[in-house]
Amino acid sequence: MRFSIMFKSIAVLIGSILIAALGIFFTSRHFMYEGFEHSIHEELTTMRGVVDANFTSLKTRLLQEAELLADGATVKDALTGQKYEALKTTAKMIMGRCAADVVLIVDAAGTVLARGQSDRSGDSALNFPLIQEALQGQAVADVVHLADSSLSVASATPIRVEGRIVIKD
């Protein structure tokens, strides 16, 4: 079977165009994919570093606020005198100062004595792992997962009166 020169020329031209197009497609895809992947990886690494630094900063600041609250004479006087209204006022002040969503002051049994966000008290705060650690004498701060799947930065520290852990927050 014989093909005309015109048919052969067209076939060679179409084949050449197809091979060139495929070469350009796969070459550009390879280099663009590698470039984008590398760029995205760098950006994600940078963002992760920023978020980690932000969480670390928040944890440090909230732990310092908790320790200031625990060391404050106002809190210790209110606790030893069982002036729980003064504790509520102090908890609200701390919430405003450090832009916290929740401030709890609990006793050695984990019972809430005062909240900064509401007037409710008397319930147990033992379901919070950070409170449990503070009840064991440790000052802690961490990122916690909330029931609604969001993240929160929290801190807890024991309150000592005359070197003895009496009441903890």
Side-chain angles (χ1 to χ4, degrees):
M1 172 163 156
R2 300 188 89 195
F3 294 108
S4 70
I5 192 79
M6 179 67 99
F7 180 77
K8 290 177 185 176
S9 298
I10 292 174
V12 168
L13 180 64
I14 290 174
S16 298
I17 292 172
L18 183 61
I19 289 171
L22 288 173
I24 291 170
F25 172 75
F26 285 114
T27 301
S28 64
R29 183 174 180 267
H30 170 75
F31 287 110
M32 288 181 70
Y33 177 76
E34 291 291 323
F36 284 135
E37 183 178 316
H38 181 71
S39 174
I40 289 171
H41 186 293
E42 283 182 1
E43 287 181 32
L44 287 175
T45 302
T46 301
M47 286 180 184
R48 181 177 181 198
V50 169
V51 170
D52 286 345
N54 191 26
F55 277 140
T56 300
S57 172
L58 283 170
K59 289 190 304 189
T60 301
R61 190 183 62 151
L62 287 177
L63 186 57
Q64 289 171 345
E65 287 289 341
E67 289 173 338
L68 284 172
L69 173 69
D71 289 339
T74 305
V75 172
K76 291 178 182 181
D77 291 344
L79 287 172
T80 55
Q82 296 185 353
K83 299 175 186 170
Y84 300 135
E85 287 302 316
L87 288 177
K88 288 178 186 178
T89 303
T90 302
K92 287 178 184 177
M93 180 201 57
I94 294 294
M95 277 186 66
R97 185 169 71 202
C98 66
D101 294 326
V102 176
V103 173
L104 299 176
I105 299 175
V106 303
D107 65 10
T111 304
V112 176
L113 300 175
R115 276 187 165 81
Q117 69 277 12
S118 73
D119 291 330
R120 198 175 91 212
S121 61
D123 55 318
S124 176
L126 290 176
N127 58 332
F128 298 111
L130 293 181
I131 297 291
Q132 293 172 1
E133 290 183 51
L135 291 173
Q136 295 172 4
Q138 299 174 1
V140 291
D142 204 359
V143 177
V144 294
H145 297 274
L146 302 177
D148 64 356
S149 298
S150 62
L151 297 176
S152 179
V153 179
S155 67
T157 187
I159 298 174
R160 292 180 168 85
V161 176
E162 297 176 4
R164 191 173 68 105
I165 298 175
V166 178
I167 309 285
K168 297 144 182 146
D169 81 327

